[in-house]
Amino acid sequence: MAAMATASALLRCSRFLRACSAAKPFPNAFLISSAPLRARRFTAAVPLGGICRISASLDEEASAKAAAATADAGGLTIFDKIISKEIPSSIVYEDEKVLAFRDINPQAPVHVLVIPKLRDGLTQLGKAVPGHTEILGHLLYVARLVAEKEGILDGFRVVINNGPGACQSVYHLHLHVLGGRQMKWPPG
């Protein structure tokens, strides 16, 4: 129990998040979510191929509801910090409009997030207006480029979670590009 409390306290600190990328015992120990930590239950540090990783069990619905409560506050998201390079990421593609990077909690062998660099009120797809048409098209085109670069052009899925009912946890529009395994239907 004390270890869980310690892990929770450490993960609250953004400096710890930045340091994790350089630390050998806990690579990729980032939470790509704007939801508060109380919505997560940390299980333990689990050895994985000689490397320790923090594994967390998420209550996705609680995280999504907590994130939605502050979605329109206009504050910086974790993605803004990744765009500004305050928080490191494994970049797959970047141009002047978008950034694509590997998800730290992959749901498939290939799981890349594609985000617009400028939020411009586009916190979720449901907030799109006609002025967002160009960036929305560019995001989809970049998803295709990422799939090609990752070798999954013959079978991949693009997912956009919209709002708490779809478990959106970061209110900065983002596309999930998933592939490298057989996708099932229905996806939910």
Side-chain angles (χ1 to χ4, degrees):
M1 192 61 127
M4 290 186 332
T6 302
S8 179
L10 288 173
L11 287 171
R12 290 177 195 267
C13 176
S14 64
R15 279 177 272 164
F16 175 74
L17 291 175
R18 287 192 297 272
C20 282
S21 67
K24 295 193 188 264
F26 297 102
N28 304 322
F30 297 104
L31 298 176
I32 302 300
S33 172
S34 61
L37 289 168
R38 66 180 171 274
R40 294 171 169 72
R41 293 181 304 276
F42 295 95
T43 55
V46 180
L48 191 64
I51 299 173
C52 288
R53 299 176 81 181
I54 293 177
S55 78
S57 171
L58 298 177
D59 180 349
E60 294 293 335
E61 291 177 26
S63 294
K65 287 177 184 173
T70 61
D72 293 324
L76 292 178
T77 69
I78 190 100
F79 292 165
D80 293 309
K81 293 178 181 183
I82 290 171
I83 291 166
S84 69
K85 310 293 195 270
E86 287 179 57
I87 295 177
S89 64
S90 178
I91 296 173
V92 174
Y93 176 88
E94 183 173 14
D95 66 24
E96 66 281 349
K97 296 178 183 178
V98 303
L99 180 68
F101 55 94
R102 297 193 190 288
D103 193 304
I104 56 90
N105 185 24
Q107 302 301 305
V110 174
H111 188 167
V112 176
L113 301 176
V114 182
I115 63 173
K117 287 184 172 180
L118 179 62
R119 211 174 340 159
D120 190 30
L122 199 52
T123 56
Q124 60 190 84
L125 190 57
K127 302 262 180 163
V129 297
H132 293 129
T133 304
E134 182 182 339
I135 191 64
L136 291 170
H138 190 64
L139 287 165
L140 285 173
Y141 178 69
V142 169
R144 181 240 181 260
L145 293 177
V146 166
E148 182 177 38
K149 186 173 185 178
E150 294 294 310
I152 59 168
L153 197 54
D154 63 332
F156 67 99
R157 180 171 287 160
V158 176
V159 176
I160 300 174
N161 298 319
N162 186 84
C167 289
Q168 181 178 1
S169 60
V170 179
Y171 280 80
H172 183 133
L173 180 73
H174 55 287
L175 285 63
H176 297 260
V177 179
L178 301 147
R181 67 170 167 82
Q182 178 61 54
M183 297 289 151
K184 306 291 183 186
W185 197 261

